[in-house]
Amino acid sequence: MRHDMNDTNYITMIDRAFEILYYISNHQDPVGISQIAKELDLPKANIFRILNTLHKWDIVERSENDKYILGKGLIKYGNKAKERMNLISISSPIVKKLSQEIGETVNIGIKYEENVLTVYSEEGESSSLVSKLIPISPLNCSSMGKIFLSHATEEELLKYFSSNELEKRTINTIIDIKDFLKIKGSIIEEDIAFDHEEYEYGLSCVASAIKDIDGKIIAAISVSGPTSRLKFKGMEKIKQKLMDCAKSISESTKYI
């Protein structure tokens, strides 16, 4: 399992940490540092430091006789990964159908710290503007980001708009909480948010929320494309199809 340590693309200590985790996962009984050092031919001091760090984050648990097993922290990360994969699995056929119907790029995004992370995309007609988009974007100037921001508390909004150095990417970019509060109500009421050339000139997006069985927002879905093309196809038509798609995915989340 060990990689070539001369490969500059690897960080040695992280590589060793995963090697140790892999070793522990393949043993039903708790294992000690001496056993790991002997089997993996690694220095005991390094193993001790790695296990101490993993223990801090509940990735491993230490028994009374200083032996180790996998920790409960892995369950949390595993469940998060499972939820994301299940969401993509459920969404992909619905997203693909929408993209084919309107001929535009459709994205699924989740909130990641102070940004939106696009976890799945289905490409529509070619566009240099869409092709340049990176998978992570600020909350304030993306339609999916506005979906998440609209459900934040006033305290959370104050913190976001005051503690982040928000870039005025275009003249339409919202960087002031007062401007966002003007549109927050309509986003919640309609379950729709727009990016009117706020991230990039010539590019527009429209997004809606994906909710779980309890009505909690777990993701957002958006349509992105050149402003002129979206207007030609009809924004109202695209908006309605997007909302139907979001509803269909939301109803399917009961199986996650």
Side-chain angles (χ1 to χ4, degrees), residues 5 116 130 183 204:
M5 292 299 115
V116 171
V130 177
I183 62 171
S204 289

Side-chain angles (χ1 to χ4, degrees), residues 138-141 146 149 154 156-184 187 198:
L139 296 173
N140 64 301
C141 58
K146 288 179 185 178
L149 278 179
E154 191 166 338
E156 290 169 336
L157 287 175
L158 280 169
K159 182 180 178 182
Y160 175 78
F161 281 98
S162 62
S163 63
N164 291 282
E165 294 183 9
L166 303 177
E167 180 186 357
K168 189 80 173 173
R169 295 183 62 91
T170 76
I171 59 171
N172 297 325
T173 307
I174 295 174
I175 60 172
D176 191 295
I177 187 172
K178 292 179 182 177
D179 293 327
F180 182 76
L181 289 175
K182 292 176 183 176
I183 62 171
K184 179 183 176 183
I187 294 174
E198 296 166 51

Side-chain angles (χ1 to χ4, degrees), residues 83-99:
E83 287 173 10
R84 186 179 301 178
M85 292 306 296
N86 284 345
L87 176 63
I88 294 172
S89 176
I90 287 170
S91 303
S92 57
I94 302 171
V95 167
K96 187 173 183 178
K97 182 182 178 184
L98 176 62
S99 180

Side-chain angles (χ1 to χ4, degrees), residues 68-91:
Y68 294 84
I69 59 172
L70 295 181
K72 297 181 181 67
L74 286 172
I75 298 173
K76 177 180 70 175
Y77 295 116
N79 284 341
K80 284 290 183 183
K82 183 180 178 182
E83 287 173 10
R84 186 179 301 178
M85 292 306 296
N86 284 345
L87 176 63
I88 294 172
S89 176
I90 287 170
S91 303

Side-chain angles (χ1 to χ4, degrees), residues 132-146:
K132 288 192 297 183
L133 287 175
I134 58 175
I136 191 163
S137 56
L139 296 173
N140 64 301
C141 58
S142 64
S143 58
M144 289 195 289
K146 288 179 185 178

Side-chain angles (χ1 to χ4, degrees), residues 156-248:
E156 290 169 336
L157 287 175
L158 280 169
K159 182 180 178 182
Y160 175 78
F161 281 98
S162 62
S163 63
N164 291 282
E165 294 183 9
L166 303 177
E167 180 186 357
K168 189 80 173 173
R169 295 183 62 91
T170 76
I171 59 171
N172 297 325
T173 307
I174 295 174
I175 60 172
D176 191 295
I177 187 172
K178 292 179 182 177
D179 293 327
F180 182 76
L181 289 175
K182 292 176 183 176
I183 62 171
K184 179 183 176 183
S186 63
I187 294 174
I188 294 173
E189 184 180 347
E190 296 182 33
D191 221 5
I192 281 287
F194 292 93
D195 161 12
H196 295 296
E197 299 189 354
E198 296 166 51
Y199 183 83
E200 189 80 44
Y201 286 113
L203 179 72
S204 289
C205 306
V206 55
S208 190
I210 295 173
K211 302 174 182 178
D212 64 15
I213 195 169
D214 299 314
K216 179 183 175 183
I217 295 177
I218 56 174
I221 179 170
S222 72
V223 172
S224 305
T227 303
S228 57
R229 198 163 75 194
L230 294 182
K231 286 182 177 179
F232 177 77
K233 291 179 178 180
M235 283 299 295
E236 193 60 35
K237 177 183 175 183
I238 292 171
K239 184 182 84 170
Q240 190 56 56
K241 284 183 175 290
L242 178 70
M243 291 177 70
D244 292 342
C245 188
K247 183 180 179 182
S248 180

